[in-house]
Amino acid sequence: MKKVITFSSDFGWRESYAAEMKGAFFSELSNLSGDIGAFTVIDASHDLPKFDIRAGARMVNSLLKTYPKGSIHIIVVDPGVGSERRALAVSSNEQWFIGPDNGIFTPLRNSTSKIVEIDSSLRKKSISRVFDGRDLFAPAAARLALDMEVGAHANGLTLFEEKMPIYEKSKISGEIIFIDSFGNLKTNIPFRKIPNGATVKLFGKNVDIKSCYNDSDIGTPVAIESSDNVLEIAVREGSAYEFFSAEPGAEVFVTW
Amino acid sequence: MKKVITFSSDFGWRESYAAEMKGAFFSELSNLSGDIGAFTVIDASHDLPKFDIRAGARMVNSLLKTYPKGSIHIIVVDPGVGSERRALAVSSNEQWFIGPDNGIFTPLRNSTSKIVEIDSSLRKKSISRVFDGRDLFAPAAARLALDMEVGAHANGLTLFEEKMPIYEKSKISGEIIFIDSFGNLKTNIPFRKIPNGATVKLFGKNVDIKSCYNDSDIGTPVAIESSDNVLEIAVREGSAYEFFSAEPGAEVFVTW
Amino acid sequence: MKKVITFSSDFGWRESYAAEMKGAFFSELSNLSGDIGAFTVIDASHDLPKFDIRAGARMVNSLLKTYPKGSIHIIVVDPGVGSERRALAVSSNEQWFIGPDNGIFTPLRNSTSKIVEIDSSLRKKSISRVFDGRDLFAPAAARLALDMEVGAHANGLTLFEEKMPIYEKSKISGEIIFIDSFGNLKTNIPFRKIPNGATVKLFGKNVDIKSCYNDSDIGTPVAIESSDNVLEIAVREGSAYEFFSAEPGAEVFVTW
């Protein structure tokens, strides 16, 4: 029974940072066990928006929901690297998540079964203070992959505040949370909260709720249930971001 | 004997879509067989031009030609996800291709040995109508990887029309089909159809045919045989796209 | 004991080039051994700056330092493909590096234990003159992975000239070598050469040396030791590139 190890970061692919992190993982595995082949290494993403801890947290949430038990996930969106923030390994749903305690683990706050502060002695030699992905998280992942300890039990997670929608009698007021690379506008409104026959309004414009992108005309806005089950505003084969010029934080209203 | 599983999409790497698709594959494998390690997972590309079915088809063609027998390829450029278009698994050259029947399988039209419409019951729970890559294609790939059935035999493939060059006595009239990320202009003219001594003309400019980029001066246009054996117009260590401002559809003439 | 095979290129992810190169590797492995599963395939990067041999060389250096013994690395930044430049496999630190002899192996110049010129007969059929990554380097990597010969011993490496800093009594004069995707400015000044209490100057502006990004205010420039142990000028959660408009070649002074 192999394990999947995933890597997520905001490093981009232009330099060697992502490659170095994976190399450090394999080198540590090789040192510890001599066998680098017992694991399946996957790039989840190295193009997370830079410094965007909430984007890292969305990745944590997506990995939690889609990967099998036993998976180990390294997540590095870490503008505070080298400072006092803790380095954690967090167990949830029989998966491990490894990264900085800067809010990125917020989606795990109700489901953690174990939190471990990674022992800084795992950093074999102090190579760099600004690349924990390579020098600390990757070696820790190798140890977890081999069921070895990585530090002492710890408590609490640094959380960021999530903007919640406001529910009224016949209205939900939410907002745009992020915009994906298709230009789809993702809101914080759970789709299941929206009754049949409701209307979506963004910047004063009504948008019809449909089942899929193809239920509207090309170039026309449409509201649908996103793949992560929130209200999403899209434009068929186009960009709702360009259509509406809507930034995160823009208010979205659902009325019925 | 392991199998290679490749993933291609227009999802980009900025969000978790590509990661989720791979996670769903591993989770299904884990559910079905308990062993996720018997397969080698490869990212072919997640930066295919968005909504561009012809770019997806080019990837299908390239994978067909370069991967070993037994490989399984998931290809998702799928603006019509959630609509009536069929979900197919197509066997060609002892490889499987899984994706939407929207024209993306056009390169397989003369080489399919089996076409299967993927049974929508494979979609374990109806998680989303707009993410078949994760919810339908990935589980289907896991089943094919384990030599399990994924649906009933089907007929026909949705094809798009390919622009063919026009051959005259001492002239071929073709066009630019796409522009790669180096700025190389790829035409629809098979290089083997071009006699020695022919001249290439684009926007009234003559371009010499050479063997490789280095046979011209830096910054100078050159016509060569592309890596997929068509006529390509390039600029050495530069961008022919910028040099000519030529968009797909621009006419290219070969005369002799 | 499995081996890691890494792929680096400037191909980008928009077309099938990176996918084809990996497919050719697997196909050759399959032909030679029937077993494609004995190796772990890793994308190091396919977004190296196009035609930028020095960026390829930096990747070579990073892979050398971070991957375990036995690893095989294919590196393709190869504007001269199809011309006379040699195709090499270079052994250093018990790892193999495969690519064009165009300066990309400069970081290995003092550590090679073997240099082999790849036999052009490995190019099974002459598919293309402009895609050695797929048609020559990938098959060669498959053979090296199986401990087979790929050509005859060769001598010498094509080197590019590295700009060295100038050391004076109480001053080091260096320059910016490259700018990473975070906008961090990387210099050619080894950090260990900088005494305590020194000051960094760029474009007449003093920049304080600190331990990590977080030791400065958000949006403020800071000089640190980079992850590869040179002097780096950064802006906390911002881009030093935008802050200073500094291009590679800009002079950096350290005084004390």
Side-chain angles (χ1 to χ4, degrees):
Chain A
M1 176 62 194
K2 276 182 140 190
K3 286 173 183 169
V4 178
I5 320 290
T6 79
F7 288 82
S8 302
S9 76
D10 62 350
F11 295 159
W13 289 98
R14 204 174 76 184
E15 297 90 27
S16 59
Y17 303 140
E20 291 180 52
M21 186 164 58
K22 290 179 276 187
F25 171 77
F26 286 118
S27 286
E28 184 74 1
L29 261 189
S30 180
N31 288 341
L32 293 171
S33 77
D35 180 9
I36 60 155
F39 305 95
T40 293
V41 166
I42 295 296
D43 290 300
S45 167
H46 297 292
D47 276 340
L48 294 174
K50 286 189 192 302
F51 313 125
D52 187 340
I53 291 164
R54 284 164 193 264
R58 286 194 298 271
M59 179 60 86
V60 166
N61 191 44
S62 296
L63 297 171
L64 177 71
K65 287 182 177 170
T66 49
Y67 278 74
K69 290 174 184 182
S71 299
I72 298 172
H73 308 286
I74 302 179
I75 323 275
V76 192
V77 178
D78 193 14
V81 62
S83 70
E84 299 287 297
R85 62 104 189 91
R86 298 182 299 174
L88 295 184
V90 181
S91 173
S92 173
N93 196 23
E94 298 182 44
Q95 300 179 57
W96 280 107
F97 295 83
I98 299 172
D101 181 40
N102 59 12
I104 212 168
F105 297 126
T106 297
L108 307 179
R109 68 179 176 284
N110 297 318
S111 64
T112 57
S113 60
K114 199 187 277 190
I115 301 174
V116 174
E117 182 167 357
I118 298 171
D119 198 308
S120 60
S121 70
L122 289 192
R123 200 192 304 261
K124 288 293 167 66
K125 15 177 185 178
S126 183
I127 309 174
S128 165
R129 278 197 58 183
V130 294
F131 198 176
D132 278 359
R134 178 189 69 190
D135 300 334
L136 188 59
F137 300 144
R143 295 176 72 91
L144 284 177
L146 299 168
D147 298 315
M148 296 168 70
E149 298 287 319
V150 297
H153 285 236
N155 287 306
L157 290 174
T158 298
L159 304 177
F160 54 70
E161 205 184 328
E162 291 179 283
K163 273 289 193 64
M164 303 303 288
I166 296 162
Y167 299 94
E168 293 172 87
K169 193 168 182 297
S170 59
K171 185 180 184 182
I172 307 174
S173 307
E175 65 181 57
I176 292 168
I177 291 298
F178 77 101
I179 296 160
D180 77 9
S181 63
F182 290 91
N184 297 323
L185 311 174
K186 306 280 186 157
T187 74
N188 62 345
I189 302 174
F191 194 81
R192 67 177 187 282
K193 297 282 193 178
I194 300 174
N196 282 332
T199 299
V200 173
K201 194 169 276 196
L202 171 64
F203 292 161
K205 264 204 176 71
N206 287 329
V207 184
D208 291 340
I209 300 177
K210 303 277 190 180
S211 288
C212 64
Y213 306 116
N214 254 28
D215 288 342
S216 75
D217 295 327
I218 288 181
T220 299
V222 59
I224 62 156
E225 179 172 7
S226 78
S227 65
D228 55 344
N229 309 114
V230 297
L231 176 68
E232 171 182 324
I233 298 171
V235 162
R236 180 176 167 195
E237 294 186 37
S239 163
Y241 173 63
E242 288 175 16
F243 188 94
F244 286 102
S245 301
E247 299 290 339
E251 288 182 309
V252 176
F253 303 103
V254 181
T255 53
W256 60 92
Chain B
M1 176 61 194
K2 276 182 139 189
K3 286 172 183 168
V4 177
I5 320 290
T6 80
F7 288 82
S8 301
S9 75
D10 63 349
F11 297 158
W13 289 98
R14 204 173 77 184
E15 297 89 27
S16 59
Y17 304 140
E20 290 181 52
M21 185 164 58
K22 291 179 276 188
F25 171 77
F26 286 118
S27 285
E28 185 74 1
L29 262 190
S30 180
N31 289 341
L32 293 171
S33 78
D35 180 9
I36 60 155
F39 305 95
T40 293
V41 167
I42 296 296
D43 290 300
S45 168
H46 297 293
D47 275 340
L48 294 174
K50 286 188 193 299
F51 313 126
D52 187 340
I53 290 164
R54 284 164 194 264
R58 287 194 299 271
M59 178 60 86
V60 166
N61 192 44
S62 296
L63 297 171
L64 177 70
K65 287 181 177 171
T66 49
Y67 278 73
K69 292 174 183 182
S71 299
I72 298 173
H73 307 286
I74 302 178
I75 322 275
V76 192
V77 178
D78 194 14
V81 61
S83 70
E84 299 288 297
R85 64 104 189 90
R86 297 182 299 173
L88 296 184
V90 182
S91 174
S92 172
N93 196 23
E94 299 183 43
Q95 300 179 58
W96 280 108
F97 294 83
I98 300 171
D101 181 39
N102 58 12
I104 211 166
F105 297 126
T106 297
L108 307 179
R109 67 179 177 284
N110 297 318
S111 65
T112 57
S113 60
K114 200 188 277 190
I115 301 174
V116 174
E117 183 167 356
I118 298 170
D119 199 306
S120 61
S121 70
L122 288 193
R123 200 192 303 262
K124 287 294 166 62
K125 16 176 184 179
S126 184
I127 309 174
S128 166
R129 277 198 59 184
V130 293
F131 198 176
D132 277 0
R134 177 189 69 190
D135 300 333
L136 188 60
F137 300 143
R143 295 176 71 92
L144 284 177
L146 298 168
D147 297 315
M148 298 169 69
E149 299 288 318
V150 298
H153 284 237
N155 286 307
L157 288 175
T158 298
L159 304 177
F160 55 70
E161 204 183 328
E162 290 179 284
K163 272 292 193 62
M164 303 304 287
I166 296 163
Y167 299 94
E168 293 171 89
K169 193 167 182 298
S170 60
K171 185 180 183 182
I172 307 173
S173 306
E175 64 181 58
I176 292 169
I177 292 298
F178 77 99
I179 297 159
D180 78 7
S181 63
F182 290 92
N184 297 325
L185 311 175
K186 305 279 186 159
T187 74
N188 62 345
I189 302 174
F191 195 82
R192 68 177 188 281
K193 299 282 194 178
I194 301 174
N196 281 332
T199 299
V200 172
K201 194 169 277 197
L202 171 64
F203 292 161
K205 264 205 176 72
N206 287 328
V207 184
D208 292 340
I209 301 177
K210 303 276 190 180
S211 288
C212 65
Y213 306 116
N214 254 24
D215 288 343
S216 75
D217 296 326
I218 289 181
T220 300
V222 61
I224 63 158
E225 178 173 7
S226 77
S227 65
D228 54 344
N229 309 114
V230 297
L231 176 68
E232 169 182 324
I233 298 171
V235 163
R236 181 177 166 195
E237 296 186 35
S239 164
Y241 173 62
E242 288 176 16
F243 187 93
F244 286 101
S245 301
E247 298 289 339
E251 288 182 310
V252 175
F253 303 103
V254 181
T255 53
W256 62 92
Chain C
M1 174 62 194
K2 276 182 139 189
K3 286 172 184 167
V4 177
I5 320 291
T6 79
F7 289 83
S8 301
S9 75
D10 63 349
F11 296 158
W13 289 98
R14 203 174 75 184
E15 297 90 27
S16 58
Y17 304 140
E20 290 181 52
M21 186 164 58
K22 291 179 275 187
F25 171 77
F26 286 118
S27 285
E28 185 75 0
L29 261 190
S30 180
N31 289 341
L32 293 171
S33 78
D35 180 9
I36 60 155
F39 305 94
T40 293
V41 167
I42 295 296
D43 291 300
S45 169
H46 298 293
D47 276 340
L48 293 175
K50 287 190 192 299
F51 313 126
D52 187 340
I53 291 165
R54 284 165 193 263
R58 287 195 298 272
M59 178 60 87
V60 166
N61 192 43
S62 295
L63 296 171
L64 177 70
K65 286 182 177 170
T66 49
Y67 278 73
K69 291 173 183 181
S71 299
I72 297 172
H73 307 286
I74 302 178
I75 323 275
V76 193
V77 178
D78 193 14
V81 62
S83 70
E84 299 288 297
R85 64 102 189 92
R86 299 182 299 173
L88 296 184
V90 182
S91 174
S92 173
N93 196 22
E94 299 183 44
Q95 301 178 56
W96 280 107
F97 294 82
I98 300 171
D101 181 40
N102 58 12
I104 211 168
F105 297 127
T106 297
L108 307 179
R109 69 180 175 285
N110 297 318
S111 65
T112 57
S113 60
K114 199 188 277 188
I115 301 174
V116 174
E117 182 166 357
I118 298 170
D119 198 306
S120 61
S121 70
L122 288 192
R123 199 192 303 262
K124 287 293 167 63
K125 14 178 184 177
S126 185
I127 308 174
S128 164
R129 277 198 60 184
V130 295
F131 198 176
D132 278 359
R134 177 190 69 191
D135 300 334
L136 188 59
F137 299 143
R143 293 177 72 90
L144 283 178
L146 298 168
D147 296 316
M148 297 169 69
E149 298 288 318
V150 297
H153 283 237
N155 286 307
L157 289 174
T158 298
L159 304 178
F160 55 69
E161 205 184 326
E162 291 180 283
K163 274 289 193 65
M164 304 303 289
I166 296 163
Y167 300 94
E168 292 173 87
K169 193 168 183 296
S170 59
K171 185 181 182 182
I172 307 172
S173 306
E175 64 181 56
I176 291 168
I177 292 298
F178 78 101
I179 296 160
D180 78 9
S181 62
F182 290 92
N184 297 325
L185 311 175
K186 305 278 187 160
T187 75
N188 62 346
I189 302 173
F191 194 81
R192 67 177 188 281
K193 298 281 193 178
I194 301 174
N196 282 333
T199 299
V200 173
K201 192 169 279 196
L202 171 63
F203 292 161
K205 264 203 177 75
N206 287 327
V207 183
D208 291 340
I209 300 176
K210 304 278 191 179
S211 289
C212 65
Y213 307 116
N214 254 26
D215 288 342
S216 75
D217 296 326
I218 288 181
T220 299
V222 61
I224 63 156
E225 178 173 7
S226 78
S227 65
D228 55 345
N229 310 114
V230 297
L231 176 67
E232 170 183 325
I233 299 171
V235 162
R236 180 178 168 194
E237 294 185 37
S239 163
Y241 173 62
E242 289 176 15
F243 188 94
F244 286 102
S245 301
E247 298 289 340
E251 288 182 309
V252 175
F253 303 102
V254 181
T255 53
W256 61 92

